[in-house]
Amino acid sequence: MSINRAQVEHVAKLARLSLSEEEKTQFTSQLNDILQFAEKLNELDTDNVEPTSHIYPIVNVMREDTVKPSLDRKKVLLNAPDQKDGSFRVPAVFEE
Amino acid sequence: MSIREIHRQLAKKERTVSEIVEDSLTRIKEVQPEIGSFLAINEEGARKKAKELEQKLNTSSERGLLAAIPAGVKDNLCTEGITTTCASQLLSNYQPIYNATVVEKLLSSDAIIMGKTNMDEFAMGSSNENSSFHPVKNPWDITRVPGGSSGGSAAAVATGAVTFALGSDTGGSIRQPAAFCGVVGLKPTYGRVSRFGLVAFASSLDQVGPVTQTVEDAAYVLQTIAGHDESDSTSVAKEVPDYLSALTGEIKGLKVAVPREMLGDGIDPAVREQIEKAVKQLEELGAHISEVSLPNLEYAVATYYILAPAEASSNLARFDGIRYGVRQGKNLLDIYEQSRSNGFGPEVKRRIMLGTYALSSGYYDAYYVKAQKARTLIKQDFDHIFANHDVIVGPTAPTTAYRIGEKISDPLTMYLDDLCTIPINLAGLPAISVPAGLANGLPVGLQIIGKAFAEETVLRVAHAYEQSAGTLAIPALGGVKA
């Protein structure tokens, strides 16, 4: 499998990245190199192999549902690029 | 200077806490222009903490395990009130409002945080050239890379600017820079140390660990940071053993496996020679050596460079310019795209692209699931060896430190250099890199890999080896060899 420029543009859109023409050219070539290298995995017979998503067998770590103090709102907003009335402020999502 | 030696000085009143901190600050400032290990120096904070600790030590006999020890913290670990940038423009103004659990543990054991160490942006890279602020240079030869991504941590320790530094290791990011800079680097078992407050790169692979000058110091730091954390549900509720008492110097009868794939064609002959010497030394110390095979090792790099970018593309979706970081752009979609495109550097974008592709509709099974299955096979290779061996040893990196600029334009070549460290993250195992002499005047790292949660064994072997091989002297900056 290989990736072409149109696919690179599509993936960039999915990843919310806007790439320059130069970046599109470079990424198309570099991603192809890497994906071609990853083709090596097709040499492996994995028909009866379970996928590993996580190395340690922990499932459903539960805790008591108790109320605890959470982060202070004022502190949380210290890093906000824009804020209003104790909330993060963003431009209008829906156009008129 | 080791932790034990600093504590001896403190007990004999040869140096005060403030003097220890001032000495560290002096050294940091002396080497920073040349080496660039730090992204922030916590000058005021360190001095204040030193004064507080002096008062505490005057009035109480209780002293934390790391009392007065100058520490560096990698800049992807949250430090309350001290910038945590991940070496990214996107987070250049980010000041966390809480400490990572490991940072909290350092503070409560009375360590002194001297500053935040430089790294590859979001821990993506093996040479520190991907820092978006400035590169780090190798103290052994400033024309060469220190390794990465914890290159700042390794160089800070190698120059004696701090006694130890925390790093994070997703595919070798603690061990490889430790090897390149001639210091000790330990990646604990996945789940041994809390990841809470570590800015996530690949959550199923990331682990925090120490970079130190000696194995004993690594045991001190691991003792402090290990253990279950209710804020990280992947940290494991297993008792933390006494790591310092594991350092017996005794490895008679220990079964050591040497995988032939780690000493094959891809390994620089000068590195191989040092590793073979180290293996002989272990044998002289009474260990039983046997050659083994890890047949699926050759698939580890391909597996990793599908899985890690996939996880990264998901983790880094949070950097959207809304709640923190540098916001750019006008309307909502613009803000996402501009903040991310201008905020992330080329390697980070490349991995987000790769990961997004591998997870996208139509490619998920072919790449992502296939790589997850390959991960199973790689882990099974290790299980087979560990069924009748105690540790696996080999080189940490296939070469010594290379020149700045040598590999940066060819990502795949740089990825291939991770072949000895990546499989250990995929299998979730603990591993340490200890200095194993020099090859062509540059440090070589011996990697010792253990069974899951067998950090004691890993430290014991590393310590016994270090006792017989010796540590490397602090290099004179600029390339004068020790």
Side-chain angles (χ1 to χ4, degrees), chain B residues 260-290:
Chain B
R260 64 178 72 97
E261 292 83 0
M262 284 193 183
L263 290 172
D265 284 344
I267 311 295
D268 179 340
V271 169
R272 191 186 308 148
E273 198 180 309
Q274 285 303 118
I275 299 305
E276 282 166 352
K277 255 203 308 213
V279 170
K280 262 202 196 91
Q281 223 155 342
L282 292 175
E283 192 166 28
E284 282 163 19
L285 290 168
H288 294 301
I289 312 290
S290 43

Side-chain angles (χ1 to χ4, degrees), chain A residues 17-67:
Chain A
L17 290 170
S18 88
L19 302 179
S20 67
E21 292 307 310
E22 198 189 334
E23 280 177 316
K24 286 177 196 167
T25 308
Q26 201 183 36
F27 283 159
T28 307
S29 141
Q30 288 172 340
L31 294 183
N32 263 316
D33 286 350
I34 299 162
L35 291 170
Q36 206 165 27
F37 174 70
E39 299 281 312
K40 194 176 167 54
L41 296 182
N42 292 331
E43 295 168 13
L44 288 171
D45 178 3
T46 52
D47 278 355
N48 297 307
V49 179
E50 285 294 309
T52 297
S53 59
H54 200 278
I55 214 70
Y56 197 77
I58 336 174
V59 276
N60 296 342
V61 178
M62 309 298 268
R63 64 166 172 80
E64 289 304 312
D65 185 18
T66 46
V67 177

Side-chain angles (χ1 to χ4, degrees), chain B residues 289-339:
Chain B
I289 312 290
S290 43
E291 192 182 290
V292 298
S293 174
L294 295 167
N296 294 305
L297 199 77
E298 60 175 306
Y299 300 102
V301 175
T303 302
Y304 176 90
Y305 279 99
I306 297 298
L307 295 181
E311 293 188 27
S313 71
S314 167
N315 273 324
L316 270 63
R318 76 191 58 171
F319 301 109
D320 56 6
I322 301 298
R323 289 148 301 156
Y324 37 68
V326 178
R327 183 187 288 186
Q328 303 185 48
K330 289 268 184 288
N331 70 43
L332 195 63
L333 196 59
D334 256 10
I335 287 178
Y336 295 152
E337 291 194 344
Q338 296 308 315
S339 302

Side-chain angles (χ1 to χ4, degrees), chain B residues 178-189:
Chain B
F180 278 13
C181 292
V183 292
V184 175
L186 171 69
K187 183 201 91 75
T189 310

